[in-house]
Amino acid sequence: MAQQQIVASIFEINLRTRTVALISLMALAVVLTLPTAQAQTFNVLYSFTGGLDGSSPWGQLAMDRAGNFYTGTMEGGNDTGSGAASKLEPASGGWLPQPLYDFNGGNDDGVQPQVVVASNGVVFGSTQAGGPSGCGIVFELRPSPTSPTTALAPWNETILHTFAGGSDGCNPFSAPIIDSAGNLYGTTADGGGSNDSGVVYELVRSGQSYTEQILYTFSGPDGAVPGPGLIADGSFTNLYGVTQVGGSMNDGTVFRLTNTGSGWTEAVLYNFHNISDGQQPQAGLAMDALGNLYGAAGLGGDGGDGTVFELMPSGGSYTFRVLYSLQCNYPSCIGPYLGYLTLDSHGNIYGTTLNEGANTYGSVFELTPSGGSYAFTDLHDFSLGSDDGGFPDGGVIRDVAGNLYGTAVDGGTHGAGIIFQITPSQSPK
């Protein structure tokens, strides 16, 4: 698929129509060779086939305590090609793919899932669209209690909530986050009433059932299209996120929702101006131990490819500063998109760009504090070939050894996207 088509498809979050062939379950039961770790080495851990494992993994990659990876895909799966949820397990020096669930699309269980894994191994997620109203669903996946736990045993899906549009919200473009009680929090990019500017929702758990509460409805001047996911403080008293547009200049916002005990109140922490600060923040936030927020604008800035920024709390307000302006090598660049930034204990920041980099197929980068500013390191430039892939629209996650992991929606051996690893060139930070 041409680069312009892929960028437009991801940026507008439209359904893609590339035909994918089904493969047998037995073809998935292969163990892939795990490459030997080298100094700052890029490795493809898995190339999606476009069959039952899905095609075009998107959004933030999830990892459980055992080191298994989970992702949703935009396409592939069963006959409808509506996407799948897949798991990748380390096994005997390699990786064993396990398709968890194939989505049926349409009025059934939705299309284009994104997933997150809870501490007990249960997988939660949302679909961008589909369901009875076409506005998406929130779901849960668990191993079947009547089938053996093997790489070929599909998991059971339970639909926790179906978005109806209107005041209920519509089109969640990121998986929810989970508190210690099992309640789920997320955003929808659309819906919310007459302004159609999106909502922040909570699914309150009671036993095995969930009840939706709308925590906040955006109106436009306070932000609109909260597509990326939320983060929370340790007590889940405050939720933080970004809106891609809206705000005082209609270039997006950073917002906070605070639980006052009698409801939730919104505060706009920053309005983007589409000057050196950038515009349209499209990546999720990160927070350090001091409560500083880090995020990225997907467009604008001095380099034209977006910015990485920090918001520092001070006396009840926040001070904004640009940490780095990303550079554009392509006429229509998009910087960090959908995934979250990742921090380490030394203050280094890791992220991806959608179609920046030497080959204009995206990149993985590191920002290192240096004398009051940040030094940029390009960790990998994607080539859209069989050896790596292209268009990493999620961020990266980091393990205790300092390895970075993420997904790219295209390329790889079968042209259906990859899961990748970057091994650091130095000791863990």
Side-chain angles (χ1 to χ4, degrees), residues 394-412:
V396 291
I397 57 176
R398 187 174 179 273
D399 66 16
V400 294
N403 299 300
L404 301 175
Y405 304 91
T407 63
V409 302
D410 219 309

Side-chain angles (χ1 to χ4, degrees), residues 15 51 57 101 159 184 186 243 249-250 280 302 321 330 346 375 392 425:
L15 296 177
Y101 187 78
I159 296 177
L184 307 177
T243 64
M249 304 299 293
N250 201 32
Q280 294 188 19
D302 293 338
R321 68 167 177 152
Y330 179 66
H346 287 225
S425 58

Side-chain angles (χ1 to χ4, degrees), residues 19-46:
T19 301
V20 292
L22 289 176
I23 60 172
S24 69
L25 279 170
M26 292 305 296
L28 286 173
V30 296
V31 177
L32 306 178
T33 300
L34 178 61
T36 303
Q38 300 176 12
Q40 195 169 299
T41 302
F42 179 93
N43 294 316
V44 174
L45 300 185
Y46 183 65

Side-chain angles (χ1 to χ4, degrees), residues 62 114-118 123-127 137-140 160 163 172-179 182-187 201-203 210 228-231 236 340:
Q114 292 193 54
V115 300
V116 65
V117 60
V123 173
F124 294 90
S126 61
T127 66
I137 64 168
V138 179
F139 61 85
E140 172 189 275
L160 306 181
F163 292 99
F173 285 116
S174 58
I177 59 175
I178 312 166
D179 69 14
N183 304 306
L184 307 177
Y185 303 80
T187 62
Y201 68 87
E202 177 184 7
L203 293 184
Y210 290 80
L230 300 168
I231 62 170
F236 272 73
Y340 296 82

Side-chain angles (χ1 to χ4, degrees), residues 258-424:
T258 301
N259 188 348
T260 65
S262 58
W264 293 77
T265 60
E266 192 232 22
V268 175
L269 305 184
Y270 187 74
N271 288 284
F272 287 86
H273 297 78
N274 191 21
I275 46 179
S276 60
D277 58 345
Q279 68 172 138
Q280 294 188 19
Q282 300 169 68
L285 300 170
M287 179 188 290
D288 66 16
L290 299 177
N292 300 309
L293 299 172
Y294 300 84
L299 301 172
D302 293 338
D305 194 22
T307 63
V308 178
F309 61 83
E310 178 184 18
L311 281 168
M312 298 169 285
S314 176
S317 62
Y318 283 78
T319 301
F320 177 94
R321 68 167 177 152
V322 173
L323 304 183
Y324 192 82
S325 290
L326 297 163
Q327 305 300 309
C328 183
N329 299 317
Y330 179 66
S332 180
C333 286
I334 301 171
Y337 187 76
L338 279 185
Y340 296 82
L341 294 180
T342 294
L343 309 176
D344 66 25
S345 60
H346 287 225
N348 300 302
I349 304 169
Y350 305 88
T352 62
T353 66
L354 182 62
N355 71 323
E356 197 263 335
N359 304 313
T360 68
Y361 295 116
S363 64
V364 182
F365 66 85
E366 176 185 7
L367 293 178
T368 305
S370 176
S373 61
Y374 280 77
F376 178 87
T377 302
D378 189 343
L379 299 179
H380 183 73
D381 292 318
F382 292 88
S383 67
L384 199 62
S386 61
D387 292 336
D388 60 356
F391 307 114
D393 73 344
V396 291
I397 57 176
R398 187 174 179 273
D399 66 16
V400 294
N403 299 300
L404 301 175
Y405 304 91
T407 63
V409 302
D410 219 309
T413 304
H414 308 285
I418 63 167
I419 295 176
F420 66 84
Q421 175 192 43
I422 295 179
T423 302

